[in-house]
């Protein structure tokens, strides 16, 4: 399993106000999409999310998004290591993803760039 990088997940009350700050901080433009009623902006290593409180409560439980070369291989390795796959693999706007509960109780999203 090859880890390519990580994205910091940031839940914000007002996405429109937060985007200019993070664009200047990261030196890039926001890539925006919506998923399940949550507005998302990807800027550099930051993933900003804004939406209904109940949705954000769930999203806050995921510590980070980890980019991997292949979600299927990641699924196999995580399972062999004793992680519990909570969701996925499924298609997402950024590629395929899964959410895993590590044996220590941490929750992470893993995503690849495959269609």
């Amino acid at each position: 399993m090859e880890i390519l990088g990580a994205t910091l997940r940031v839940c914000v009350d007002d996405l429109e106000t937060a985007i200019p700050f993070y664009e200047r901080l990261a030196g890039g433009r926001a890539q925006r999409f919506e998923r399940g009623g949550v507005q998302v902006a990807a800027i550099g290593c930051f993933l900003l999310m804004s939406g209904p409180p109940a949705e954000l409560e769930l999203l806050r439980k995921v510590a980070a998004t980890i980019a991997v070369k292949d979600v299927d291989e990641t699924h196999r390795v995580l399972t062999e290591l004793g992680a519990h796959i909570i969701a996925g693999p499924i298609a997402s706007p950024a590629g395929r993803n899964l959410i895993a509960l590590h044996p220590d109780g941490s929750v992470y999203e893993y995503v690849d760039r495959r269609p």
Side-chain angles (χ1 to χ4, degrees), residues 20-73:
F21 173 83
Y22 283 94
E23 284 181 332
R24 295 237 9 231
L25 181 65
R29 303 285 301 157
Q31 295 178 339
R32 299 179 64 152
F33 57 93
E34 181 179 340
R35 185 162 184 201
V38 174
Q39 297 295 318
V40 180
I43 310 166
C45 67
F46 299 99
L47 188 65
L48 308 180
M49 299 173 286
S50 184
E55 292 293 325
L56 292 181
E57 182 180 334
L58 291 172
L59 293 172
R60 282 187 176 100
K61 294 179 181 180
V62 179
T65 298
I66 300 171
V68 295
K69 189 172 182 179
D70 184 335
V71 162
D72 294 326
E73 178 186 7

